Amino acid sequence: MTCALTVNDLYVSYYGNEALRDISFSIEKQSLVGIIGPNGAGKSTLLKSLLKLIPRDKGEVTILGKEVEQVRKQIAYVPQRSNIDWDFPISVLETVLLGTYPKLGVFHRPKKRERMWAHECLEKVGMEPFAERQIGELSGGQQQRVFLARALAQETEIFFLDEPFVGIDISSEETIIQILKELRDSGKTVLVVHHDLSKSDEYFDELVLLNKELVRYGTVEEVMNPKMIAQAYGGQLSFLKDMVVTGA
Amino acid sequence: MNFFEAVMQYGFLQKALVTSIMVGVICGVIGCFIILRGMALMGDAISHAVLPGVALSYLFGVNFFFGAVLTGILTAIGIGYISQNSKIKNDSSIGIMFTSAFALGIILITILKSSTDLYDILFGNVLAVRPSDMWMTFGIGILVLAAVYIFYKELLVSSFDPTMSQSYGLPNKLIHYFLMTLLTMVTVASLQTVGIVLVVAMLITPASTAYLLSDRLWKMLFIAAGCGALSAVLGLYISFRYNLASGATIVLVATVLFITAFMFSPKQGVVWRSLKSRKQKSAVNY
């Protein structure tokens, strides 16, 4: 069986500064994986370089056994909320419809079938009543759910989410993690960049612990031990203390 | 004689009117994408950068459309190249490239042609529109509107969320240069109506008015086109009536429409907002 994702000897730099070095790991299909690490560890960079949104210096990456170019339509990517222009003149429904574009191709427009599907995806994240709102009128958690609905609309095998839980309310967070778990249970592979150690053990099956290089990749139990965390987080000890207390 | 009689009677005025309406419409439409992508300065740059192309076209005896598109695109590429390959910020890169293209254009034009021609190119002279110019504007207009209609989806997603469009495999850079090509063509079409210096107003002002008045891209496109066309008609009328420079008058009408939207737009208008916040304050203080 081919892996969902294999990374071998990946190096990435920004303007000559090394951002990631010597990263190798592989992820089986049907898993829900968190990418964690301190600020500046290169978590988002890893996600972007896997998709070739930024250039790689070195290394081989395969997704579903192929080069990323060949499987782009099998990958849904949810960017960080801070990267979106929320004043853009677009409605919630139209935003979700964007998710149908990759499979429509250039000269086709979304028709009734796509609109129905977009409504269905909105329903899954509980945002159907807001379909006709402009996206800037929503709260942060609602915006994030709309973007998850857009990813669902893409009907892909793999989902990449960059910091989906930053600045959102608890109930949205619960809705989102519930849907991600359902996706995993239906055979999809989900990678989530996550900033917060405290809930990592509840949310994910496996963790990629990163600090410019791969500190550890493994099951939650293997990664969430104080030694590993200390190694990745170094000086950020307040984090570590919380971790030890809750983990004990 | 009033304006309408004059329009009926004089062919040059009809051509002027048709041409300016078309220019108002296409500037409004392309302008929407320019402001949503945060490229207002780029619009200014490309419009100035067509000048050397116009001069070179005179030199080689070809239609100025070709030269203008060529130098417009070359400048867009130059701007992208400098900002991607050095620490020079995008706005500085734009400033360097377009002023040099513009300076080169001024020198070429003054060598090759008279200063009257330069004046017309810089500030427009809509009453001197020849039938061939009108048809060229019309052709460019059809082409630009068709391109926006056909690639609406791609323009929408790459303007709103370029990371997503890149991640599913859309060629963002190609789309950028495609838009720059359309922008150059729109500029060329606008040369005679408002002139190089004021094209940017027709690109940005009606689109910004529409931005304040709409919450959907397609509505914004229609409102911007409408504002552009209305500015053209009213501006031409006022300039005829009071004998004012036509390009400048059209631009000022567009500005008046913008200010009206800025004050009174139902959701964004400063007047309503201050009324609302005053009401809120008095309710709290009571």
Side-chain angles (χ1 to χ4, degrees), chain B residues 3-18:
Chain B
F3 182 65
F4 302 99
E5 283 168 9
V7 168
M8 298 311 273
Q9 202 162 349
Y10 297 116
F12 75 90
L13 213 49
Q14 288 165 12
K15 286 198 284 291
L17 193 63
V18 171

Side-chain angles (χ1 to χ4, degrees), chain A residues 53 72 77 79 84 87-91 94 98 101-102 105-109 132 135 137 147 150 154, chain B residues 36 149-151 153-154 156-157 159-161 163-164 166-169 211 215-218 220 267:
Chain A
L53 298 178
R72 285 206 180 277
Y77 173 75
I84 298 293
D87 286 328
F88 199 94
I90 190 169
S91 72
E94 285 172 322
L98 299 180
Y101 286 9
V106 176
F107 297 106
H108 301 275
R109 272 157 211 272
E132 292 307 318
I135 47 160
E137 296 169 19
F147 270 67
R150 184 181 78 176
Q154 289 181 251
Chain B
L36 288 174
Y149 179 76
I150 293 170
F151 297 110
K153 238 169 69 240
E154 286 67 31
L156 167 62
V157 65
S159 304
F160 173 56
D161 189 352
T163 328
M164 181 206 178
Q166 194 189 353
S167 80
Y168 84 77
Y211 184 54
D215 55 4
R216 301 287 189 278
L217 178 60
W218 61 270
M220 183 177 168
K267 275 189 187 164

Side-chain angles (χ1 to χ4, degrees), chain B residues 246-268:
Chain B
S246 51
T249 315
I250 292 174
V251 168
L252 283 184
V253 172
T255 312
V256 169
L257 291 179
F258 172 76
I259 292 172
T260 314
F262 179 71
M263 305 286 275
F264 300 108
S265 118
K267 275 189 187 164
Q268 314 282 336

Side-chain angles (χ1 to χ4, degrees), chain A residues 171-229:
Chain A
S171 89
S172 289
E173 182 161 339
E174 280 167 0
T175 310
I176 291 171
I177 197 68
Q178 188 56 39
I179 290 170
L180 296 182
K181 285 180 175 169
E182 282 167 21
L183 283 172
R184 176 212 42 211
D185 294 340
S186 67
K188 315 290 185 195
T189 309
V190 184
L191 259 80
V192 182
V193 168
H194 190 52
H195 65 293
D196 184 6
L197 279 174
S198 64
K199 287 189 179 156
S200 295
D201 53 338
E202 292 170 39
Y203 286 177
F204 305 112
D205 309 327
E206 285 160 11
L207 292 173
V208 174
L209 180 58
L210 209 63
N211 191 5
K212 301 207 173 191
E213 52 191 12
L214 184 66
V215 178
R216 184 70 197 259
Y217 166 62
T219 62
V220 171
E221 292 74 35
E222 286 167 342
V223 177
M224 291 292 272
N225 72 59
K227 209 177 119 205
M228 285 296 152
I229 301 293

